[in-house]
Amino acid sequence: MTRTVSPLLPMEYSQEVAAAKARNAPIVALESTIITHGMPYPGNLEMARSVEAIIRAEGAIPATIAVVNGVLKIGLENAELEALSKTEGAMKLSRADLAFAIAERRTGATTVAATMIAAARAGIRVFATGGIGGVHRKAEESFDISADLDELARTSVIVVCAGAKAILDIPKTLEVLETRGVPVVTYDSAKFPAFWSRDSGLPSPLTLNSPAAIANFQLVRDQLGVDGGMLIANPVPEENEIPREEMEIYINRALDNAERDEIIGKEVTPYLLDTLFRLTDGRSLATNIALVENNARLAAEIAVALAD
Ligand code: PSU
Ligand code: MN
């Protein structure tokens, strides 16, 4: 499906991404909410830089996506990345408000949903992140279901993550993905991973064991005319894992705090992530960085395989 887009959209490629597009090189998109709302400074900047370096080492080009003063950036120059990592009060942008930030010349970080929209618009097919948003625990009362899930259903980008955080209701998250026709493929394991831990206790709907097999699956979806995204779950490396039982104690405390402080809407996820970093004394941050790096590597391999 092709869409007509305004030639006036203020969208800019970084020098590196523009060059990669010109020679049809593999590109991996990266989100920026993880930088502004997902991790504290300076760990966020270290993570963002090392993830970009890993993608380059695998033979692909990184494109960190954000809105800076109303310009949709596809790839950030070094100084822009550093500035964003220190920005306080950046908007957290999803499908509902990505265009708002551009129209109103604001600065904002893109969530998984908004990054997918921008990546598709820029012709980038693969995207690496840490964890996706999903169905929150007690969603039957709060109705809190991330727009990431709907975006996965409608926008044709491959999203590589480490599963879903147990701050979410993982069974309900998988149910919604199934209903909306999103393939959930765990890399090299039959178990769906839960971010800090390699096993959520749930089987993975699908499993594939190589980047080439993932690229081939996507090719067949294209040939069939099945659009929409695909979720690749990449289990955190064993040496960086934090056991599920241990995290559950902290998660319950973070959820209690969120309820007590009456946190709602898009504040919920950043609040929970921040509380968990503090409760685990930064240990969850080290794991978080390791798993994003691991996802960047796999995403780059998939992008290279798709280009072949
Ligand atoms: N989950 C994580 N880390 C993150 C996020 C989610 O483990 O950084 C961020 C991502 O940008 C994701 C967004 O797209 O939070 C989801 O927010 P919400 O639940 O408000 O849709
Ligand atoms: Mn939400």
Side-chain angles (χ1 to χ4, degrees), residues 162 193 195-198 234-242 286-295 297:
F195 202 83
W196 297 286
S197 32
R198 292 173 59 83
N234 189 25
V236 61
E238 239 166 86
E239 62 270 26
N240 303 110
E241 186 176 25
I242 306 179
T287 296
N288 201 338
I289 293 175
L291 63 83
V292 183
E293 291 172 347
N294 192 45
N295 297 343
R297 195 168 301 113

Side-chain angles (χ1 to χ4, degrees), residues 147-217:
D148 290 353
L149 299 184
D150 254 18
E151 205 58 52
L152 278 160
R154 67 204 290 182
T155 301
S156 299
V157 173
I158 298 174
V159 179
V160 182
C161 71
K165 277 203 173 120
I167 56 174
L168 301 171
D169 186 321
I170 298 178
K172 286 196 180 79
T173 300
L174 287 175
E175 287 294 348
V176 169
L177 288 167
E178 182 186 80
T179 301
R180 301 301 313 273
V182 178
V184 175
V185 179
T186 298
Y187 183 64
D188 218 13
S189 169
K191 301 166 183 164
F192 185 69
F195 202 83
W196 297 286
S197 32
R198 292 173 59 83
D199 181 9
S200 63
L202 295 161
S204 178
L206 302 167
T207 297
L208 287 170
N209 303 317
S210 70
I214 294 168
N216 185 53
F217 178 25

Side-chain angles (χ1 to χ4, degrees), residues 31 33-34 92 111-112 131-133 136 146 148 165 195 269 273:
E31 64 151 307
T33 296
I34 190 174
K92 174 186 162 188
T111 58
V112 168
I132 57 158
H136 281 260
S146 176
D148 290 353
K165 277 203 173 120
F195 202 83
T269 298
L273 299 182

